[in-house]
Amino acid sequence: MTDSTGLPQPTTALPHEAYLTALASLDQVGPARLRWLLSYGSPELVWQLLRAGKVCDPPAQLAVKAEQLNKWVAEANLLNPQELWNKCCALGVGVLALGSAGYPPSLALDLDPPVVLFHLGNPDLISAPSVAIVGTRRATGYGLRVAEELGAGLAQAGVMVVSGLALGIDAAAHAGSLSVGPSGAAVAAVVGAGLDAPCPVRNRKLAQKVAAAGVIFSEVPPYVQAAPWRFPVRNRILAALADVVVVVESAGAGGSMHTVKEALARDIPIMSVPGPIDSRASEGTNRLLSDGAEPCLGVDDILMALGLSNIVRGSPNKRKLEAPLEQRPAPNEAGQRALAAIGWRPVSVEHLGLRSGLEFSQLASTLSWLETHGWIQRTGGWIERCARGD
Amino acid sequence: MLAEVPSATLLGVEGHRVLVEVHVGQGLPGFTVVGLPDASCREARDRVRAAILSSKLKWPDTRITVNLAPTHVRKVGSGLDLAIAIALLGASKQLKAEAFRGLAFFGELGLNGTLRPILGVLPLVDALHGGRVVVPVDNLDEARLVRKDALGVSSLSQLVSVLTNEEAWPNPPLQEHEIAEGGDSCDLAEVQGHPVARRALEVAATGGHHVLMVGPPGSGKTMLAERLPSLLPNLDARGAMDVSRVHSAAGLLRMRNGLLRRPPFRSPHHTASLVALIGGGSTLLRPGEVSLASGGVLFLDELGEFPAAHLDALRQPLESGIIRVARANTNVTLPARFLLVAATNPCPCGIGQWGECRCTPGQIARYGRRLSSPLLDRFDIRLAVDPPEPAMVFASQRSGESSSEVRSRVELARLRASERGVTSNRELRGEALEKFAPISEQGQKLLRSRLESGSLSMRGAQRTRAVALTLRDLEGTGGPITTDDLEGALLLRGEEQQIGVVA
């Protein structure tokens, strides 16, 4: 039996969510295969049929080979749904089946709703409006900063930020959103791995905070080994949960672009953060802009797209975007030379020395000055120019 | 019926005096060697017997006992052959005791009686006090580096004729060895671009600061490292002797060059075994690469590919300048005062351009973990080396300063460091730094702000201070450390974490 939030209660009679979990835990079972399996009847019935080897003739488009079917039969005879269910209970992972009471309405109406949804945290916090902030794992300092600012700004405005708990932009957006504290909106994450280990180790603390202040969803049962194909599949849930998708930084191809495709299929507006045209990390976002995506120049633009701001673009009473008031002291001649040589792309000290033509001691003191005054920042051996001071 | 002849055996890079005693007496014919000889030393029996017979001398058909004293020191190698032969000839009355009194003998015997050169003549000869030494003629130059009156012979029969006054001592002219100037095969002038790395090498050569270079393949890490020895000043007399001694013990001393005056450069491959790197082996305790690099540069290319155990074994020598190799029955102390230059890629794929790397974060994290942070802590200079941009290479055909120009600055700056009673600024720590490296007020402010912002650790600040002092020495104007020096040192120190930061 489950209560309204879908948190499992250990009982003697197994709920049908337990059988759903067991079915979803089978090797290489994704949403499409799970849906086909369920066409045989209730999860419990399918489980029994599978154990008896009576499930056959998969549709051709699912590409299920005979060996795969045999493997499932073997697995079904080995796996104990009760055990799986107990494991879910122990982790505190909730299970929501499509059509059950607590299932998020925005997903229920989706083109391709997940048949079963696992969650950590409180799924009732899912509420419109929500914005997906996505982007590359290999973000530049600029992208990380923007993602964090957007995350914080949206949370302040009461907008839920949805992201994927990956390194880079995802983590920065979550961190920004959480930085507002309890006064801000809830946070949501959709991950492509089982909820026993929802994210890279480096983000584990962040994931705990997200679960505490919001909810983490996954379509994958806990303790199922992570597989690369599950990540693109989860992007559709990410898109489906959002009212607007914002891409902060992305290369020409990648997970973010996949989310954009899913959003397009669902008629969800896409916004893109412009970046330097010679930055690899902004290749995809700039391409989106030239393809007609809305530019995102700040939190206000997103709020406007959500209809939460009555300021019309171009109208005289439009609230100004954060004024690019320069508060940093102007660099001297050598400093300007160095800044010009850095450009808007991270550069090594060695190249900087060559390009600027500055002598070693001058280079050292110039860089030190620029760093102290917030004109540049360093990551590893790289030097990066900062557009704005803190 | 008893004769004794002094000689020596090699352990590590030190010679140990050995007295070869031979007793020829009544009993069943037999030949035994006692006194802890190793296998190659015990084989001396057969070589000595054959050599004596083929030199038309008499083999006593009685009981022969050879004792190598002191008996608790392990005797290694074939260098005692000649001493055994001479003592045996003395004990069997074929040579008078007066004939070889005051002489010590070294050399391996061939079956036909010729004398073959041996390893480590320099430390062996040095271990004996008083008396003259007789060595194989091929080792004569090496022996004369420490003993001008050393004698060289080419065969046992020649030596016997000399000792029986049938012949005079052969006396090849003493060769005076010039210090080979410009002996380094490569020059800093050949390096295109790399303005920061050039300066870094100069600072490393002056202050003895260890250098870590992080960069993609083809960025010139190896090229830069190979040029570092050419910036180091010539070894002084004592340093040259120490270096030559180690190279002699390893059999690497090239005789024609006399004492090694130029700092050595060693670059072991990452598949080198622990013993090859650190030194040891069960009997000879041969000096390893770290000892061969003592007084010069040890270059470890692809640092991340070296097994972690090997790298952590470097920590003791990096700290103390010596390495103690201990085995069940012996232990030796080998010199290991080297300048460590290491190179590594930033990540497994090695593509260094921003945004081009295709390694997963997990791969990069694993790669970074291969190097322990105590080891990384030892590097005062951490350079991000990049291949020069093609446009830059062709734009600036002007070549940089040559090694000799830089070296003259290094020599001057080192003079200043030597006034502090240390060979290099690297060795200054704690109180010595407080005493010798005062910082200007502005500079103290800079360091404080870096410490407060957390971008510099306490230890990092100390090391930065030492590098800044080296920069001050290079400046040559004296006075307390300025902000310029500190900023330069901070730039050379780089970020704490460089490996695995590739975007």
Side-chain angles (χ1 to χ4, degrees):
Chain A
M1 288 295 116
T2 60
D3 62 13
S4 64
T5 57
L7 274 180
Q9 312 285 314
T11 51
T12 41
L14 274 182
H16 81 290
E17 279 92 348
Y19 289 100
L20 262 179
T21 309
L23 286 174
S25 300
L26 293 176
D27 179 52
Q28 304 285 331
V29 169
R33 289 174 174 182
L34 187 57
R35 202 165 307 115
W36 164 66
L37 284 173
L38 289 174
S39 67
Y40 281 84
S42 78
E44 188 171 358
L45 178 68
V46 177
W47 188 254
Q48 303 306 345
L49 287 174
L50 201 59
R51 283 172 62 125
K54 287 189 181 144
V55 172
C56 49
D57 296 330
Q61 71 267 25
L62 291 182
V64 179
K65 290 188 187 136
E67 303 94 77
Q68 186 72 64
L69 261 178
N70 292 339
K71 198 169 174 193
W72 287 348
V73 174
E75 271 185 303
N77 280 302
L78 274 175
L79 268 178
N80 181 354
Q82 177 77 54
E83 247 171 56
L84 274 178
W85 187 245
N86 291 347
K87 275 187 189 169
C88 276
C89 297
L91 270 179
V93 169
V95 187
L96 290 170
L98 179 59
S100 68
Y103 197 87
S106 49
L107 283 181
L109 300 174
D110 189 52
L111 301 175
D112 185 8
V115 180
V116 57
L117 203 55
F118 300 86
H119 65 85
L120 273 173
N122 185 358
D124 291 343
L125 293 176
I126 290 279
S127 57
S130 63
V131 169
I133 298 181
V134 297
T136 176
R137 285 175 296 162
R138 300 161 209 274
T140 65
Y142 161 74
L144 295 176
R145 210 164 49 238
V146 170
E148 201 169 334
E149 277 174 22
L150 291 181
L154 288 171
Q156 248 160 10
V159 178
M160 187 176 73
V161 171
V162 189
S163 196
L165 267 181
L167 301 175
I169 300 291
D170 284 13
H174 282 306
S177 183
L178 288 167
S179 69
V180 176
S183 64
V187 195
V190 184
V191 298
L195 289 175
D196 55 312
C199 57
V201 179
R202 263 192 278 174
N203 282 352
R204 204 172 268 170
K205 278 232 172 77
L206 188 66
Q208 284 166 0
K209 284 189 197 159
V210 171
V215 58
I216 307 179
F217 285 121
S218 174
E219 210 182 351
V220 186
Y223 301 109
V224 168
Q225 207 177 359
W229 60 267
R230 296 202 187 262
F231 288 85
V233 176
R234 67 94 195 253
N235 286 343
R236 75 177 201 289
I237 310 177
L238 200 61
L241 278 176
D243 298 313
V244 170
V245 172
V246 180
V247 190
V248 178
E249 265 190 327
S250 170
S256 315
M257 288 300 137
H258 194 267
T259 310
V260 166
K261 224 192 275 170
E262 296 288 351
L264 282 175
R266 287 165 174 77
D267 260 349
I268 293 166
I270 290 152
M271 304 189 80
S272 176
V273 176
I277 56 169
D278 62 352
S279 164
R280 205 164 257 272
S282 285
E283 213 177 294
T285 44
N286 287 337
R287 172 69 51 205
L288 282 176
L289 286 175
S290 89
D291 287 348
E294 258 319 273
C296 168
L297 308 181
V299 179
D300 283 356
D301 284 352
I302 306 176
L303 294 178
M304 211 148 31
L306 286 168
L308 291 179
S309 168
N310 50 7
I311 309 157
V312 181
R313 170 167 289 204
S315 78
N317 59 352
K318 177 185 174 182
R319 200 158 27 123
K320 280 227 176 85
L321 294 172
E322 218 173 295
L325 201 74
E326 190 52 78
Q327 290 179 334
R328 298 173 287 189
N332 61 5
E333 192 260 338
Q336 281 171 9
R337 240 164 86 191
L339 280 183
I342 296 170
W344 292 104
R345 213 172 149 173
V347 65
S348 70
V349 181
E350 203 71 70
H351 278 190
L352 183 58
L354 266 184
R355 282 195 212 156
S356 64
L358 293 171
E359 288 299 322
F360 175 81
S361 62
Q362 214 181 353
L363 184 68
S365 56
T366 306
L367 287 181
S368 167
W369 189 92
L370 289 173
E371 198 179 354
T372 318
H373 294 92
W375 284 99
I376 57 168
Q377 66 182 46
R378 291 200 213 188
T379 340
W382 303 98
I383 296 174
E384 197 178 347
R385 184 168 174 179
C386 301
R388 274 184 285 161
D390 289 321
Chain B
M1 298 304 254
L2 182 77
E4 43 184 50
V5 164
S7 186
T9 188
L10 194 65
L11 249 183
V13 294
E14 298 287 336
H16 290 265
R17 203 182 125 91
V18 171
L19 191 65
V20 177
E21 302 170 322
V22 174
H23 180 261
V24 176
Q26 300 283 309
L28 283 174
F31 188 11
T32 47
V33 180
V34 297
L36 222 57
D38 81 330
S40 62
C41 192
R42 197 171 298 122
E43 288 161 359
R45 285 192 314 183
D46 302 301
R47 282 193 299 272
V48 169
R49 183 167 188 273
I52 285 184
L53 290 175
S54 38
S55 301
K56 309 240 161 27
L57 295 160
K58 233 184 101 225
W59 183 256
D61 278 330
T62 49
R63 178 139 194 94
I64 305 166
T65 309
V66 176
N67 182 36
L68 308 172
T71 48
H72 66 272
V73 178
R74 200 160 181 87
K75 324 296 181 305
V76 184
S78 51
L80 295 171
D81 287 6
L82 185 62
I84 294 174
I86 295 299
L88 202 150
L89 293 176
S92 62
K93 302 261 188 289
Q94 299 179 68
L95 280 175
K96 284 188 193 132
E98 299 79 56
F100 53 88
R101 185 161 296 143
L103 290 175
F105 298 89
F106 300 94
E108 174 186 325
L109 283 173
L111 296 187
N112 58 359
T114 55
L115 271 176
R116 301 213 170 107
I118 56 170
L119 283 190
V121 165
L122 190 58
L124 286 176
V125 170
D126 208 26
L128 294 173
H129 309 285
R132 298 181 83 179
V133 295
V134 179
V135 297
V137 72
D138 290 339
N139 285 132
L140 186 58
D141 278 352
E142 203 177 320
R144 279 178 167 178
L145 294 173
V146 277
R147 288 290 189 82
K148 291 264 186 296
D149 62 352
L151 300 162
V153 287
S154 55
S155 68
L156 182 61
S157 53
Q158 185 194 17
L159 180 58
V160 170
S161 345
V162 173
L163 292 178
T164 52
N165 293 324
E166 287 168 28
E167 251 182 72
W169 283 106
N171 194 14
L174 193 64
Q175 287 178 9
E176 281 302 329
H177 300 288
E178 301 275 314
I179 297 175
E181 270 301 330
D184 300 295
S185 53
C186 35
D187 198 289
L188 197 61
E190 295 151 12
V191 176
Q192 291 271 336
H194 292 302
V196 179
R198 293 175 77 98
R199 185 71 176 173
L201 290 186
E202 184 176 338
V203 172
T206 309
H209 305 289
H210 302 308
V211 185
L212 174 67
M213 294 190 282
V214 182
S219 55
K221 302 185 292 289
T222 310
M223 183 175 186
L224 286 163
E226 278 169 350
R227 279 152 183 79
L228 183 52
S230 70
L231 306 183
L232 293 170
N234 285 329
L235 297 166
D236 58 14
R238 207 175 133 221
M241 183 56 79
D242 289 344
V243 169
S244 305
R245 180 193 296 273
V246 178
H247 281 247
S248 170
L252 293 174
L253 194 59
R254 280 193 225 105
M255 266 147 284
R256 273 180 207 86
N257 291 344
L259 275 187
L260 290 174
R261 288 287 184 173
R262 292 296 305 150
F265 176 80
R266 304 291 300 180
S267 58
H269 189 250
H270 58 75
T271 54
S273 71
L274 190 59
V275 167
L277 210 56
I278 301 301
S282 53
T283 51
L284 187 59
L285 300 182
R286 187 180 182 276
E289 291 290 337
V290 293
S291 300
L292 288 168
S294 192
V297 176
L298 179 69
F299 175 46
L300 301 182
D301 205 354
E302 308 298 352
L303 188 68
E305 305 296 332
F306 280 85
H310 295 193
L311 293 180
D312 286 330
L314 291 177
R315 275 153 57 184
Q316 187 211 357
L318 280 173
E319 207 54 54
S320 56
I322 51 168
I323 197 152
R324 270 183 239 284
V325 177
R327 295 291 180 266
N329 47 9
T330 42
N331 66 74
V332 296
T333 303
L334 300 168
R337 191 170 296 281
F338 52 88
L339 174 52
L340 179 62
V341 182
T344 177
N345 291 334
C347 62
C349 81
I351 299 174
Q353 286 300 306
W354 180 270
E356 307 249 335
C357 166
R358 284 288 161 263
C359 304
T360 64
Q363 278 177 318
I364 292 173
R366 266 197 301 284
Y367 196 73
R369 273 202 298 272
R370 287 193 197 173
L371 305 176
S372 67
S373 62
L375 179 71
L376 290 178
D377 244 11
R378 304 285 196 279
F379 293 102
D380 291 348
I381 300 178
R382 287 176 264 195
L383 270 181
V385 185
D386 247 9
E389 292 164 302
M392 288 294 169
V393 173
F394 293 110
S396 66
Q397 273 302 338
R398 155 184 92 90
S399 60
E401 277 179 306
S402 71
S403 289
S404 58
E405 283 172 77
V406 179
R407 198 203 298 173
S408 58
R409 275 205 303 275
V410 171
E411 276 164 2
L412 275 177
R414 278 203 162 202
L415 275 182
R416 281 183 203 100
S418 65
E419 287 162 12
R420 300 185 188 110
V422 287
T423 46
S424 64
N425 287 343
R426 178 185 77 218
E427 290 160 30
L428 292 174
R429 316 231 127 197
E431 271 179 35
L433 261 183
E434 287 295 334
K435 186 171 161 205
F436 294 118
I439 306 179
S440 73
E441 225 164 274
Q442 284 290 313
Q444 287 181 5
K445 238 169 79 187
L446 173 72
L447 267 193
R448 250 202 309 278
S449 76
R450 290 303 175 101
L451 280 170
E452 277 161 13
S453 74
S455 63
L456 202 62
S457 64
M458 212 43 221
R459 190 191 169 102
Q462 291 279 311
R463 303 321 299 150
T464 305
R465 196 171 176 179
V467 176
L469 182 65
T470 305
L471 280 165
R472 185 96 298 259
D473 288 345
L474 279 167
E475 201 65 45
T477 49
I481 290 169
T482 64
T483 42
D484 275 5
D485 301 330
L486 282 172
E487 281 161 348
L490 284 169
L491 184 66
L492 291 178
R493 181 164 181 82
E495 291 274 302
E496 299 287 325
Q497 178 69 39
Q498 290 212 331
I499 299 164
V501 181
V502 278

